[in-house]
């Protein structure tokens, strides 16, 4: 996934511990990591159709380069 993937990924243990801790404090929405929170807030400024199209393009490129998906002609 490249740099963005490495910046946004967290270990399951870290996410679970954060979720349990914040749930106990009454937090309803839990987004682990500063970069993920930034992306969530930044993404709210764009239409969902724009975000979906760009996310699909990113995943398609990633799956194609990893050999998990055939390149479209």
């Amino acid at each position: 996934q490249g740099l963005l993937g490495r910046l946004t990924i967290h270990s399951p243990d870290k996410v679970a511990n954060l979720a349990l801790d914040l749930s106990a404090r009454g937090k309803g929405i839990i987004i682990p990591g500063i970069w993920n929170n930034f992306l969530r807030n930044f993404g709210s400024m764009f239409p969902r159709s724009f975000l979906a199209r760009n996310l699909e393009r990113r995943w398609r490129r990633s799956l194609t380069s990893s050999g998990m998906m055939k390149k479209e002609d």
Side-chain angles (χ1 to χ4, degrees):
Q1 292 245 347
L3 178 62
L4 190 56
R6 288 192 301 275
L7 289 173
T8 57
I9 196 166
H10 297 281
S11 73
D13 289 344
K14 181 179 178 178
V15 174
N17 286 331
L18 180 65
L20 291 171
D21 181 44
L22 294 178
S23 297
R25 290 196 251 158
K27 301 288 183 182
I29 298 175
I30 300 163
I31 301 172
I34 293 170
W35 188 246
N36 288 331
N37 275 294
F38 169 77
L39 291 174
R40 177 179 183 263
N41 292 325
F42 185 71
S44 67
M45 295 187 295
F46 296 96
R48 287 183 185 238
S49 59
F50 173 81
L51 296 172
R53 197 169 43 250
N54 284 287
L55 188 59
E56 187 250 347
R57 191 177 302 134
R58 179 176 171 229
W59 275 102
R60 187 175 301 279
R61 194 175 337 146
S62 176
L63 292 173
T64 302
S65 67
S66 69
M68 295 178 72
M69 179 183 229
K70 292 184 179 180
K71 198 170 198 173
E72 291 182 10
D73 294 325

